[in-house]
Amino acid sequence: MTMLGYQNKVLRVDLTKKGAKTEPLRMDWAEKYIGSKGLAIKYMYEELKPGIDPLSPENKLFLTTGPMTGTPIPCSGKLSIAAKSPATGTMNDCSIGGHSALQIKYAGYDMIILEGALKEPGYLLIEDGNVQFKDAKVLWGRGSHETEMLLAEKHGHDHSILSIGPAGENLVPMACINSDYYRQAGRGGIGAVMGSKNLKAIVIKGTGGVKIPDIVESTKKITQILREDTLQEDNTFIYDFGTTAFLEACSDGGILPRKNFSDVTDENWTKYNGEVLLEKKVGKRGCGSCGLGCGNFLKFGDAIVEGPEYESIAVAGPNAGIDDPEAIVKFNQVADDMGLDTISAGDTINFAMEMTEKGVHDFGIRFGDKEKQIEYLKLMAKREGVGADLALGVRKLAEKYGGEDYALHVKGLEYPQYEPRGSWGMSLAYAVSDRGACHMRAYAPNEEVFAASIPPYTAEGKGEMVYNLAVFNAIKFSLCICDFWATISFERMAELMTLVTGKEWTEQDMKDVGERVIHIARAFNQREGFDRKDDTIPKRLINEALQSGPAAGQKIPQEAFDDMLDQYYAVLGWDKNGIIPEDILCRL
Amino acid sequence: MKRLKFAKSKCIGCQLCAQVCSAMHEGEYIPSKARINIESYYDKGQELKYKDSFCILCGICKKQCPVNAISLEEHITVDHDLCIGCGVCERACPKKVVRIRDEKSYICDTCNGDPACVKICPQNALTFE
């Protein structure tokens, strides 16, 4: 069976034996999980043996596109990179922008699976059907930016490059994969998995095409959808401001954390809002097949970055007690170059700052130390000096030195920068996210804070709210549609799927796939021993009330959190312990 | 005569233009065969640079064609019955936009005066005026 929109082909690369072969894509799985996130998790579930060490050659990297990749469907240019996470031990799928997804698809593949490990540092060069294993000894140890620069000079700017920095090489569990210099598959140590395979980079160029039914009429329809749906004001603010737009909204809404989540910002954080940073903007860039163009290329003195994104600004700014936009841009640039996830690395440094201030352990850094913050990133990536400790991440650092009461993570993945005491549903979203604390699995602030359509400081209705948000994101990311096409509906998703595959898809099909993706991710984690005991809320949110902002006085009672978990499990048909019953498992 | 114009300050490098061009002319999304190639990239991560390969209807290909296979009236037309695929037009094109495949020349025909690339360009970096 084949389906239009797909290449119906997987490239499987054996890094140990330096061999590559193609095989048909499992279309029976594609029908159930579509592509990108969902399909990657299904493959991971079927192919990874339970209990493997995420940094052993037994782990695999699944680079996964979808049926819309390579078409002009707006915002369809993202690539899913998945593997078992060395940070959490859960499954982990990351979504990265840039152009690599398109190059993979044009090279003729829906998916590239990387197995085993190279014996010596190397990189992969994939040009259509030609796969070459290249030596990377001269690249090893170099920053991700320099690596990309050297590879682009050698192979041409028309090749897409995915690379790791020193953090990935040194197996730091918060190492990311970079592409297009400033785009990241950021979380859960996906870069460390690549490092464990001695794989410094993947360079890819495709010259083939993608076919869909009735392409001339379909292209006209897609153009119309772009104009009428994607390019409406609810989405296009991202072109003007990027994610800096969220700073003021979160500050005003009382969910922009400060000083390691000890409180939220008590002033209008305008210094970091769009206007100040965007004065330094020198260019705009989007991903392949984008339409919105969220990337703000800016130069702030020596510091250059595309971004910085909300998460990076918040973690390196107010949450670190730092009040200097230029230092924040520099932090972002250095973290990218070192190949570190800004969220986890920033959170870990902020945690160390609070430990030092509280006299629990002296890490030699306090809130506001902006020079040391950047220096520590480099030490973490190389595991040198104090960086050897900080590279452990928040959970292990707390296990080693204390500070449990203000260690913010779920399953070992550090907290993103949306404070749940002002948006209770977010504590549930972080707790049940398939890879630990992630803000991309269900985004509660829209409902609870910005649109204020659901009361934020209550458990009531939150199970269903988070379920609905999670289903929406699970299908959206399985179609490989970017988060920033915010107005896309289930109906529209079905329409686009019908357009690219020629097979009829309904709104209900989209919801069913979304729910199935949540189940299969949970099933992977369940097999690894995860259950309710791991769906946690950090102690700080239960024990300490916020002092500032509209949510001042709020903390989340344990009973309220437990209630939300019960509700969420019930909506999905899981038992009280968060276990998926057999009748659901056998349908996956 | 209307021509394609490109404002790089508006371009986000999405390459939707090349995708729809190839859809209209080749029946698949295949940017390598598109008759327009506009993209941006970070040069050394430091500077945003643009490739802006598109037909400006300068007519040099028509003038240079040794077999008079190329005509220019509102847009370019290549008569494939006459074209010998010699590649003179490809080498002469100042915008590097002529494609030679299977001994035939392929040049932007502005979709007969209604270019699909302009219609899709999300930030209106491409115009036809």
Side-chain angles (χ1 to χ4, degrees):
Chain A
M1 185 182 67
T2 60
M3 209 171 356
L4 282 170
Y6 293 90
Q7 304 292 31
N8 302 286
K9 203 195 282 181
V10 174
L11 176 68
R12 193 177 288 275
V13 179
D14 184 335
L15 295 167
T16 307
K17 293 179 182 161
K18 290 194 177 180
K21 59 182 182 185
T22 59
E23 64 191 41
L25 183 72
R26 285 291 301 260
M27 292 313 294
D28 51 336
W29 295 352
E31 281 212 329
K32 289 171 92 170
Y33 297 93
I34 296 183
S36 299
K37 177 184 173 78
L39 193 58
I41 300 171
K42 174 64 175 172
Y43 264 87
M44 212 175 350
Y45 183 75
E46 298 293 340
E47 292 199 7
L48 294 186
K49 277 191 289 183
I52 58 162
D53 174 356
L55 297 176
S56 72
E58 288 177 290
N59 202 358
K60 301 180 187 182
L61 279 164
F62 300 85
L63 282 62
T64 316
T65 70
M68 299 181 188
T69 311
T71 77
I73 289 176
C75 310
S76 65
K78 298 199 87 173
L79 177 71
S80 174
I81 308 182
K84 184 178 179 183
S85 163
T88 62
T90 63
M91 50 110 303
N92 178 27
D93 67 289
C94 300
S95 174
I96 185 168
H99 291 71
S100 56
L102 284 80
Q103 294 300 341
I104 289 171
K105 194 80 177 276
Y106 294 144
Y109 315 111
D110 298 300
M111 194 174 194
I112 299 175
I113 302 175
L114 305 174
E115 306 180 340
L118 295 168
K119 290 180 186 67
E120 303 278 341
Y123 72 92
L124 267 181
L125 175 63
I126 302 170
E127 291 169 315
D128 294 324
N130 186 17
V131 180
Q132 295 179 59
F133 296 82
K134 312 283 267 190
D135 184 274
K137 284 194 204 75
V138 295
L139 298 173
W140 209 249
R142 292 183 196 265
S144 201
H145 289 169
E146 193 182 8
T147 299
E148 180 157 351
M149 180 187 84
L150 292 168
L151 290 171
E153 300 272 303
K154 186 168 179 179
H155 298 292
H157 292 284
D158 57 348
H159 287 55
S160 261
I161 297 160
L162 295 154
S163 72
I164 56 169
E169 297 170 12
N170 295 318
L171 312 182
V172 175
M174 55 189 86
C176 65
I177 298 173
N178 287 274
S179 191
D180 260 14
Y181 291 93
Y182 303 111
R183 301 268 171 181
Q184 285 78 36
R187 307 223 65 201
I190 195 86
V193 176
M194 196 158 146
S196 74
K197 301 190 176 306
N198 271 319
L199 186 61
K200 181 68 175 170
I202 303 159
V203 182
I204 181 150
K205 171 69 185 170
T207 62
V210 178
K211 288 187 171 131
I212 70 168
D214 197 6
I215 196 164
V216 171
E217 285 311 308
S218 296
T219 300
K220 288 178 185 168
K221 183 70 193 163
I222 291 167
T223 303
Q224 187 189 352
I225 291 168
L226 168 78
R227 294 275 166 205
E228 291 171 8
D229 186 340
T230 320
L231 293 175
Q232 58 178 299
E233 264 182 44
D234 285 350
N235 304 319
T236 54
F237 73 90
I238 208 77
Y239 175 85
D240 296 322
F241 301 109
T243 53
T244 60
F246 301 133
L247 285 169
E248 208 167 348
C250 289
S251 180
D252 292 347
I255 55 168
L256 177 58
R258 63 192 289 265
K259 295 192 173 176
N260 192 38
F261 301 89
S262 59
D263 198 8
V264 289
T265 52
D266 54 358
E267 61 201 88
N268 186 1
W269 215 264
T270 49
K271 187 175 281 186
Y272 300 119
N273 79 6
E275 289 170 29
V276 175
L277 284 164
L278 299 183
E279 277 172 16
K280 307 292 180 183
K281 182 167 68 177
V282 294
K284 286 292 304 178
R285 193 146 194 266
C287 302
S289 297
C290 183
L292 293 167
C294 70
N296 294 311
F297 184 49
L298 52 88
K299 295 187 176 181
F300 220 132
D302 291 341
I304 301 174
V305 80
E306 184 194 284
E309 306 299 341
Y310 168 82
E311 284 291 329
S312 306
I313 300 168
V315 77
N319 223 0
I322 286 170
D323 190 12
D324 177 352
E326 186 173 350
I328 290 167
V329 175
K330 192 72 192 169
F331 171 92
N332 195 161
Q333 184 185 22
V334 171
D336 290 355
D337 190 36
M338 290 291 108
L340 283 167
D341 169 25
T342 54
I343 301 175
S344 286
D347 272 339
T348 307
I349 294 171
N350 299 346
F351 179 57
M353 288 172 170
E354 185 163 2
M355 297 260 271
T356 306
E357 299 238 347
K358 284 201 156 68
V360 175
H361 183 82
D362 187 0
F363 290 98
I365 188 167
R366 290 169 179 271
F367 288 119
D369 283 351
K370 57 189 182 192
E371 284 86 14
K372 276 195 181 162
Q373 183 199 36
I374 290 166
E375 181 195 330
Y376 277 26
L377 284 176
K378 296 175 187 167
L379 294 174
M380 287 164 80
K382 293 172 185 167
R383 292 184 185 266
E384 288 174 359
V386 67
D389 265 343
L390 295 185
L392 295 171
V394 165
R395 175 172 63 180
K396 288 190 176 163
L397 214 53
E399 285 168 6
K400 189 168 176 184
Y401 294 108
E404 270 290 333
D405 290 343
Y406 45 93
L408 280 93
H409 69 87
V410 177
K411 301 179 180 71
L413 192 67
E414 289 75 11
Y415 242 49
Q417 313 300 302
Y418 296 95
E419 165 57 61
R421 281 166 290 186
S423 176
W424 287 19
M426 208 59 217
S427 71
L428 175 63
Y430 290 148
V432 298
S433 147
D434 51 23
R435 60 173 180 175
C438 171
H439 60 294
M440 302 295 286
R441 299 298 177 257
Y443 187 72
N446 258 349
E447 269 65 15
E448 294 186 312
V449 182
F450 307 148
S453 55
I454 295 176
Y457 319 131
T458 173
E460 197 184 336
K462 295 302 160 65
E464 193 171 355
M465 180 192 80
V466 168
Y467 165 81
N468 287 329
L469 293 167
V471 167
F472 181 75
N473 277 7
I475 177 63
K476 195 172 173 184
F477 298 159
S478 298
L479 298 174
C480 74
I481 297 287
C482 172
D483 201 35
F484 295 138
W485 186 355
T487 58
I488 193 170
S489 62
F490 288 112
E491 195 183 355
R492 180 74 77 204
M493 295 182 203
E495 180 189 2
L496 293 171
M497 272 302 288
T498 304
L499 209 64
V500 296
T501 62
K503 172 183 173 292
E504 199 67 35
W505 296 78
T506 66
E507 196 177 332
Q508 190 58 47
D509 292 335
M510 297 293 98
K511 290 178 181 169
D512 290 347
V513 174
E515 184 176 304
R516 196 176 293 128
V517 172
I518 295 172
H519 285 310
I520 190 81
R522 183 80 175 188
F524 183 98
N525 294 343
Q526 187 169 306
R527 201 171 59 182
E528 298 292 326
F530 289 87
D531 60 23
R532 183 177 188 127
K533 70 180 182 310
D534 305 293
D535 297 342
T536 55
I537 179 169
K539 287 183 183 168
R540 170 161 268 172
L541 308 187
I542 294 173
N543 298 329
E544 300 175 32
L546 290 176
Q547 303 122 58
S548 312
Q554 290 298 330
K555 53 185 178 178
I556 303 173
Q558 180 74 51
E559 310 79 67
F561 177 74
D562 292 341
D563 179 14
M564 291 194 283
L565 264 190
D566 286 339
Q567 292 172 37
Y568 183 78
Y569 295 161
V571 184
L572 276 153
W574 301 348
D575 75 10
K576 282 271 183 195
N577 198 29
I579 296 291
I580 310 172
E582 197 55 41
D583 67 309
I584 295 179
L585 274 180
C586 67
R587 292 201 306 266
L588 297 178
Chain B
M1 190 163 58
K2 282 184 161 184
R3 290 180 164 83
L4 288 175
K5 288 196 173 148
F6 172 61
K8 71 177 183 182
S9 63
K10 293 183 180 176
C11 177
I12 57 169
C14 62
Q15 294 177 288
L16 289 175
C17 47
Q19 290 175 3
V20 298
C21 173
S22 56
M24 295 303 173
H25 294 95
E26 311 298 337
E28 58 182 322
Y29 300 119
I30 181 160
S32 65
K33 291 185 181 173
R35 299 162 194 202
I36 183 166
N37 179 14
I38 294 179
E39 51 187 304
S40 63
Y41 62 93
Y42 289 113
D43 188 29
K44 300 181 172 51
Q46 306 280 312
E47 299 294 334
L48 199 47
K49 292 204 170 163
Y50 298 83
K51 277 186 200 164
D52 62 343
S53 181
F54 62 96
C55 177
I56 53 172
L57 293 173
C58 65
I60 289 174
C61 54
K62 174 184 179 296
K63 286 183 200 134
Q64 301 269 328
C65 179
V67 293
N68 295 321
I70 299 173
S71 58
L72 170 56
E73 288 167 26
E74 296 299 318
H75 56 82
I76 298 279
T77 307
V78 183
D79 185 338
H80 279 176
D81 289 337
L82 298 177
C83 177
I84 55 169
C86 63
V88 167
C89 52
E90 183 187 33
R91 289 188 291 277
C93 177
K95 299 293 276 185
K96 304 285 174 214
V97 73
V98 178
R99 302 266 182 275
I100 303 287
R101 275 201 324 271
D102 302 327
E103 298 187 353
K104 297 293 170 195
S105 169
Y106 293 85
I107 305 176
C108 169
D109 60 2
T110 69
C111 300
N112 294 322
D114 189 18
C117 54
V118 172
K119 283 185 179 164
I120 200 153
C121 182
Q123 302 298 338
N124 304 315
L126 274 172
T127 52
F128 191 56
E129 51 194 292

